[in-house]
Amino acid sequence: MRSKLIVWLGVIALVAAACGDGGGDGASELPTEIGEGEGQVNIVAWAGYIEDGSTDPNYDWVTTFEEATGCQVNVKTAGTSDEMVALMTGSTEYDLVTASGDSSNRLIAGGTVQEINIDLIDAWDTVDPRLQDAPWHTVDGKHYGVPYEWGANVLAYNTEVFGDTPPTSWSVVFEEQTLPDGESNAGRVQAYDGPIYVADAALYMGVANPYALSDQQYQDALNLLRGQRELVGRYWHDAFIQIEDFTNEGVVASSSWPFQVNILQASGAPIASVFPTEGATGWADTTLMHSSAPNPNCAYMWLNHSITPKLQGDLAAWFGTVPAVLAACEGNELLGPDGCNTNGLGSFDQIKFWQTPTENCLGAGGTCVPYYKWVTDYLAVIGGR
Amino acid sequence: MASAAPPTSLVRRASAILYRRRGLRLFLLLGLPVLWLVGVYGGSLLSLLTQSFFRLDSFAGTIDRTPTLATWRDLFTGANMAVVGRTFTMAASVTIAAVIVALPLAYYIARFASRRTRAWMILAVLLPLWSSYLVRVYAWKLILAAEGIINWFLTRIGLGPVLDVVLDLPVIGGPSLSTSYLGQFIVFLYIWLPYMILPVETALERVPNSYLEASADLGAKPLTTFRRVVWPLAIPGIAAGSIFTFSLTLGDYIIPTIIGDSSPFIGLAIYSQQGVAGNLPLAAAFSFVPIAIMTVYLTIARRMGAFEAL
């Protein structure tokens, strides 16, 4: 009798739990005007992209927005594009995401983000024309986001170890060698733990388009990465943990973002960065809006705010990126007159921006290795296989 | 038909109904806890595990909900089984080391410490648990770093070469303590030690003094007494503590992220598959592994009497 009762309660509970899987998908038509703010906006962003003055009081582009619009900005930081995709597809609580090219197309294809009405973006024409219709956020003529910033994955290195001969090639992180301070680089380098890093290996090997790899090129890249596994002390995922590793773990070289380099230099660490001869991968980030964004009006307000020249210039100075709005390069105190050039303004054509590898070689024809294989194989490489 | 005067107040009537209807009484008492245990806990576990029978549509990152065994086939590949093996080895070594470290301390607390000292010592054992888990792990990352205090201290007293030899050991060494299995092992051991000390101490407390005196009277040396009397009585406590250290290491994903060389452990693999790859089906399949291992482990532990010593 007692056990029967428990069984019945359990059955009722299980049925209730299983039936509780609601899931809205709002395929709404394009909004024609921005309405009243909802009071908050939730953004998935890279660390350092949305600063409210708490890390450094000089870098704050959130407080003025919150005061002007009444929309409280809540930021969720993510370490890799895959994390961003997982966060956006896994829930409907986020409004916006600052997605790189290797996650934006996935989000668009999966219906996770909605088309943006660019008429509602007042300063759209100030956006760099090279980015306005870029393939990673414009599909079939429809715009799905507003370009934010772009930059490169630079080679960060320890100036004390390299002395007068700074590194000029990615070989310092890919191949075992003795560094200018007399010791091997084994155990003293790091690599990015996102699967898109396979493209960096392909780039080092000289492949023209590192996101469209044939089977042979892909296997060669994986072998290079397996060799690299022996040299890497730890794979980096979180920008701030990498900053600590450069300071405390004796890491001498690693692919990194200008963000970490800037913070390390500001705290007096002997770290500098270089754009190697083989070129570099990079990211051109776009702010996309969730198809079921809970706060669409605040989201549009933020989209407009995100391409104001002051924000663009401040962020470029903080993170080491190049603004999507070129006018931001002039007259920004924090960035300085030469800031955009230092951050790589002239290298737009040499940077291989992150894209999601597809089976059809990104439309070029032939058969390439798709991204999900990159993920499985790279996680296995990190695991030592 | 004669009957007693019916109870008039509401409370008395309710009390009478409950007295007569045993089923209703049971329902009211057990209803909510069973609902929580089976519905919330069991239901959420079941809905996670059913995910393992779906597969991931890799380009768009969405889950294809047609039942399939493809994800299970992915689980039994070499790379994933290596993850399981690595986690199991770490869990087993941490458990054994925790027993070796906890036993003398628990023995002292149970047998030699005075009442007051015992209270303070138990407090000292529990004190780390009052601070945040993450804070402690980050603290160890700094302690174990190449520029950290262990390296500095050993170099100062001239034992630098010893540390280098240790770090050069094939599997467990690495560029620094913080990026090696040895460092991970130390941090795991530190974090789970309170969970091992307490059950062992409880079990040892229960060993009556008269047993030890009788053993000595019969001519046993202290080592023999320990081997033949104390150890068998301590085993239930050890089994209980080992449940904690073993299962917690199997599932942990925070320590391998912060300490170590990024090699995936089960918890980290589940976290990566769900977060990096968006591959919830594979993460769910991975989740089965610690459940299966712990079911076997708990059955063995129960035979050894662990549940009485908890």
Side-chain angles (χ1 to χ4, degrees), chain A residues 18-37:
Chain A
C19 287
D21 185 25
D25 57 341
S28 40
E29 340 72 35
L30 235 39
T32 47
E33 58 165 15
I34 305 179
E36 279 286 312

Side-chain angles (χ1 to χ4, degrees), chain A residues 153-171:
Chain A
N153 296 314
V154 296
L155 174 60
Y157 65 95
N158 186 315
T159 50
E160 278 173 10
V161 168
F162 283 91
D164 297 320
T165 49
T168 51
S169 161
W170 287 109
S171 65

Side-chain angles (χ1 to χ4, degrees), chain B residues 62-110:
Chain B
T62 52
I63 298 176
D64 176 20
R65 281 171 206 264
T66 50
T68 168
L69 283 178
T71 312
W72 281 96
R73 243 174 292 141
D74 284 338
L75 179 65
F76 287 105
T77 54
N80 291 332
M81 286 291 105
V83 172
V84 175
R86 183 180 300 130
T87 320
F88 189 88
T89 315
M90 177 63 81
S93 14
V94 168
T95 304
I96 294 172
V99 173
I100 296 174
V101 172
L103 206 52
L105 189 61
Y107 195 79
Y108 181 84
I109 297 177

Side-chain angles (χ1 to χ4, degrees), chain B residues 107-123:
Chain B
Y107 195 79
Y108 181 84
I109 297 177
R111 304 231 69 86
F112 293 111
S114 69
R115 261 264 120 83
R116 268 177 96 212
T117 321
R118 186 182 302 176
W120 282 114
M121 290 192 79
I122 303 253
L123 194 70

